[in-house]
């Protein structure tokens, strides 16, 4: 028996001496490691068996501890689609009743077993920066378990951390809210169905993050959390965003113009960004985290004068918080973030706006170019070389023609993808990046796939992904004419069609995009590309 199997048996033995929580959390960790093997830094782990292989070998071994682990996994598999549900039924058919000394709940918990929900509450940041959803449950043996899910609303509604603790709901909530600043956070009732939908949305957002978030409990507790969520009613809604209010927007812009004459256009841009990107979607509310994102990621690429943007932002924070009755301490936090990051923002804007990069400082010039490539300094700092994987988005909004066109383009991208596996380049991940660009376009403007020649669309998308990943001349070894030929097209380059697509993706000057190609999303860059960017970043940084 290999060392890993001996460790597993010892761990299960220890868990079996406890209650259902101990075995369920261990089963959740093992299940997540089999699904998406990651080390503590979020890097993939090689050599792990697949879930199916693990179930096959474990059932064949017929070891008490291993069967206990599988039986604890079974209810977590039930809600994950037909394949996992079939695995769960197979586990029960072969392992249930095989051992008389296992806890009764392992033999009794079946596909229809729902955990008892004991309470649901949400703790909301008053500026919309974050939510903490708390869900109490009782496990099959009567053990209490409370899930706590931290959602970063300013960061796109992703999981910031999540865990399940062996605590009764009221006790866990009391501990979590002890000493809470009621000017910053409010404890609110939430419909259980809404809690389920909002956590599911955050989990889905987490799955596309590169590099993946890894903490002591996440994603280790994800399968156990999913089991608890399935015990909540379905049919809930995500957190609603405020409706457009032209009168409010005009009032805020007027206040900014009064405080900083000439800042009206900048204020309109900021109000628009708040409605689109902030956790609250309310242009009266400006959290310190959202202001940080604005100054480091979004605004350095704006066409407005940076000094005017800063002045408009200060005025909007003051006017908006006064309108909303925000406590002065929260306003001070936001202003402090603005004060701390203003100089860095102005430096970034000076380097990046309109491509005006400091040629007299080669290191600064290089770092500015690299920041442009990956969508901002924060993305540049967080780069890793984790291989990219395609996450298929929900595209049910596509009509029949657009869906059929997208399917044809994806098939053609598979054909074109062989070009990127050429010995001169050897980067098969560009195929995945191209599929991601196609999906992004389908989300942005589905009409693009309802018309036109799919071969040309595929060529343009593959060209975008290839240029973003340094595949084509003069930077890379490939000739765009080879891409055209691989799809049965004539011509030297699909750049003209690509410019149309880049404009749809929000690129201000699509014809100039290839000079510093950026899609604003590091997850569309291959591991090879990111390794090279990391090398250049580290060389350009001062020692």
């Amino acid at each position: 028996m290999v060392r890993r199997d001996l460790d597993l048996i010892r761990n299960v033995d220890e868990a079996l001496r406890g209650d259902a929580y101990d075995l369920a959390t261990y089963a959740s960790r093992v299940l997540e490691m089999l699904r998406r093997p990651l080390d503590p830094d979020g890097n993939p782990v090689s050599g792990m068996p697949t879930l199916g292989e693990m179930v096959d070998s474990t059932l064949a071994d017929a070891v008490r501890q291993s069967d206990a682990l599988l039986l604890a996994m079974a209810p977590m598999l039930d809600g994950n689609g037909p394949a996992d549900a079939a695995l769960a039924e197979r586990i029960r058919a072969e392992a249930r009743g095989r051992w008389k000394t296992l806890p009764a709940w392992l033999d009794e918990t079946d596909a229809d077993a729902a955990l008892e929900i004991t309470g649901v509450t949400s703790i909301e940041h008053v500026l919309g920066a974050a939510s903490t959803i708390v869900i109490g449950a009782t496990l099959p043996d009567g053990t209490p378990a409370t899930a706590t899910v931290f959602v970063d609303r300013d960061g796109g509604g992703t999981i910031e951390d999540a865990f399940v603790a062996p605590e009764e709901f009221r006790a866990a909530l009391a501990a979590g809210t002890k000493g809470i600043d009621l000017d910053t956070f409010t404890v609110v009732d939430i419909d259980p169905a809404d809690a389920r939908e909002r956590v599911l949305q955050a989990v889905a957002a987490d799955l596309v993050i590169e590099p993946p978030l890894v903490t002591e409990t996440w994603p280790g507790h994800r399968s156990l959390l999913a089991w608890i969520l399935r015990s909540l009613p379905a049919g809930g809604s995500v957190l609603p965003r405020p409706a457009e209010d032209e009168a409010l927007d005009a009032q805020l812009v007027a206040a900014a113009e009064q405080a900083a004459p000439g800042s009206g256009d900048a204020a309109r841009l900021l109000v628009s960004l708040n409605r689109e990107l902030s956790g609250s979607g309310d242009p009266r509310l400006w959290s310190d985290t959202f202001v940080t994102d604005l100054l480091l990621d979004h605004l350095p690429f704006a066409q407005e004068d940076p000094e005017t943007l800063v002045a408009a932002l200060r005025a909007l924070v003051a006017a908006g918080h006064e309108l909303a009755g925000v406590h002065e301490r929260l306003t001070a936090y936001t202003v402090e973030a603005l004060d701390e990051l203003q100089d860095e923002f102005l430096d970034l804007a000076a380097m990046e706006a309109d491509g005006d990069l400091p040629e007299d400082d080669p290191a600064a010039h290089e770092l500015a170019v690299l920041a442009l490539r990956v969508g901002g300094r924060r993305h540049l700092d967080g780069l890793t070389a984790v291989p990219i994987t395609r996450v298929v988005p929900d595209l049910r909004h596509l009509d029949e023609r657009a869906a059929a066109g997208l399917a044809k383009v994806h098939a053609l991208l598979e054909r074109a993808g062989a070009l990127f596996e050429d010995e001169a380049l050897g980067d098969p991940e560009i195929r995945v990046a191209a599929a991601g660009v196609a999906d992004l376009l389908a989300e942005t403007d589905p009409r693009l796939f309802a018309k036109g020649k799919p071969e040309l669309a595929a060529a343009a998308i593959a060209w975008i992904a290839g240029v973003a990943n340094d595949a084509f001349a003069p930077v890379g070894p490939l000739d765009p004419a080879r891409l055209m030929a691989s799809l049965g097209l004539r011509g030297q380059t699909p750049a003209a069609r690509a410019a149309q697509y880049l404009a749809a993706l929000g690129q201000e000057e699509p014809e100039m995009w290839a000079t510093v190609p950026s899609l604003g999303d590091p997850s569309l860059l291959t591991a090879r590309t990111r390794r090279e960017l990391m090398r250049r970043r580290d060389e350009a940084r001062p020692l």
Side-chain angles (χ1 to χ4, degrees):
M1 185 173 286
V2 299
R3 170 64 182 273
R4 186 170 59 198
D5 294 331
L6 290 173
D7 288 343
L8 182 147
I9 288 173
R10 282 194 289 266
N11 289 333
V12 174
D13 267 333
E14 183 178 349
L16 286 170
R17 287 194 287 270
D19 50 34
Y21 171 83
D22 297 306
L23 185 56
T25 50
Y26 183 64
S28 180
R29 289 181 184 278
V30 173
L31 187 53
E32 289 302 325
M33 181 56 74
L34 292 169
R35 289 190 185 285
R36 195 181 186 194
L38 299 171
D39 68 14
D41 296 321
N43 299 313
V45 176
S46 60
M48 292 293 293
T50 66
L51 175 59
E53 290 170 345
M54 185 268 196
V55 171
D56 287 342
S57 62
T58 301
L59 289 175
D61 289 342
V63 175
R64 171 180 171 272
Q65 293 88 342
S66 300
D67 280 358
L69 179 64
L70 290 184
L71 287 168
M73 286 181 179
M76 302 180 201
L77 293 170
D78 285 322
N80 293 330
D84 278 4
L87 269 183
E89 285 309 304
R90 183 180 164 211
I91 290 168
R92 295 187 181 101
E94 297 189 33
R96 179 179 278 177
R98 189 147 67 178
W99 309 97
K100 302 300 183 184
T101 55
L102 291 181
W105 71 271
L106 290 174
D107 279 337
E108 295 167 357
T109 305
D110 57 27
D112 297 323
L115 307 181
E116 180 185 351
I117 299 299
T118 56
V120 181
T121 293
S122 184
I123 304 168
E124 299 290 336
H125 192 283
V126 299
L127 298 182
S131 297
T132 302
I133 298 176
V134 185
I135 306 167
T138 301
L139 298 178
D141 70 341
T143 302
T146 297
T148 303
V149 183
F150 301 92
V151 180
D152 182 4
R153 290 172 56 188
D154 273 343
T158 60
I159 297 284
E160 198 167 17
D161 200 358
F163 60 86
V164 180
E167 296 180 291
E168 190 274 330
F169 172 71
R170 291 297 170 191
L173 185 60
T177 56
K178 184 178 181 180
I180 191 173
D181 180 358
L182 296 178
D183 293 324
T184 305
F185 297 97
T186 58
V187 181
V188 300
D189 292 330
I190 182 173
D191 184 274
D194 290 347
R196 170 176 169 157
E197 186 62 30
R198 292 171 194 178
V199 174
L200 287 175
Q201 182 189 50
V203 171
D206 171 77
L207 288 172
V208 302
I209 291 179
E210 294 292 347
L213 169 70
V214 178
T215 72
E216 290 186 2
T217 54
W218 188 262
H221 286 197
R222 179 162 46 199
S223 288
L224 179 54
L225 172 63
W227 186 16
I228 293 173
L229 291 177
R230 286 198 295 274
S231 299
L232 296 172
S237 61
V238 298
L239 197 66
R241 295 182 72 80
E244 295 286 341
D245 187 337
E246 293 183 4
L248 171 62
D249 294 357
Q251 183 180 2
L252 290 168
V253 170
E257 181 71 42
Q258 182 176 4
S263 67
D265 289 343
R268 290 184 189 90
L269 171 64
L270 291 165
V271 166
S272 174
L273 289 173
N274 186 305
R275 286 199 177 278
E276 178 186 0
L277 300 174
S278 76
S280 69
D282 184 339
R284 299 174 303 164
L285 307 181
W286 303 83
S287 70
D288 57 335
T289 53
F290 179 58
V291 163
T292 298
D293 288 341
L294 280 175
L295 294 175
L296 295 186
D297 286 335
H298 306 306
L299 291 180
F301 306 98
Q303 300 301 309
E304 300 289 339
D305 174 66
E307 296 278 0
T308 302
L309 280 168
V310 171
L313 183 55
R314 287 188 184 280
L316 287 172
V317 170
H321 284 200
E322 182 177 358
L323 275 175
V326 174
H327 194 282
E328 61 183 12
R329 184 166 59 255
L330 285 180
T331 302
Y333 291 154
T334 302
V335 172
E336 182 180 354
L338 204 165
D339 290 341
E340 290 180 353
L341 296 171
Q342 173 180 318
D343 290 344
E344 185 173 353
F345 161 68
L346 293 174
D347 289 343
L348 281 171
M351 288 188 291
E352 296 169 355
D354 300 324
D356 184 16
L357 303 174
E359 299 295 342
D360 58 340
D361 186 344
H365 178 276
E366 174 77 338
L367 289 173
V369 168
L370 296 177
L372 279 171
R373 289 285 304 273
V374 300
R377 287 297 177 100
R378 189 170 65 172
H379 288 316
L380 181 63
D381 291 340
L383 280 185
T384 70
V386 178
I388 60 174
T389 55
R390 183 182 173 213
V391 177
V392 181
D394 183 357
L395 297 174
R396 287 176 292 183
H397 64 286
L398 268 62
D399 62 30
E400 187 174 340
R401 288 184 61 192
L406 178 61
K408 289 179 182 177
V409 167
H410 273 304
L412 291 164
L413 287 174
E414 283 296 309
R415 185 202 305 176
L419 181 68
F420 301 116
E421 298 176 27
D422 183 280
E423 290 182 4
L425 184 66
D427 195 351
E429 289 183 33
I430 297 181
R431 186 198 306 255
V432 184
V437 174
D439 291 338
L440 189 61
L441 281 165
E443 289 186 277
T444 304
D445 189 354
R447 296 170 299 176
L448 294 172
F449 295 96
K451 57 186 178 180
K453 193 172 184 178
E455 289 82 4
L456 184 54
I461 291 167
W463 182 84
I464 290 171
V467 171
N469 286 283
D470 297 333
F472 290 116
V475 177
L478 300 180
D479 184 344
R482 287 183 59 194
L483 171 64
M484 299 290 278
S486 72
L487 293 169
L489 299 169
R490 295 181 179 181
Q492 297 300 308
T493 173
R497 174 63 64 89
Q500 176 188 353
Y501 292 166
L502 289 165
L505 293 175
Q507 296 293 329
E508 294 289 340
E509 297 182 90
E511 296 81 6
M512 300 295 295
W513 174 80
T515 58
V516 184
S518 170
L519 295 171
D521 184 353
S523 70
L524 294 173
L525 299 178
T526 70
R528 177 191 63 84
T529 302
R530 279 179 277 120
R531 275 195 298 271
E532 175 61 15
L533 296 179
M534 290 161 63
R535 183 192 65 76
R536 291 169 57 186
R537 175 199 66 188
D538 295 342
E539 288 183 355
R541 282 177 169 168
L543 298 177

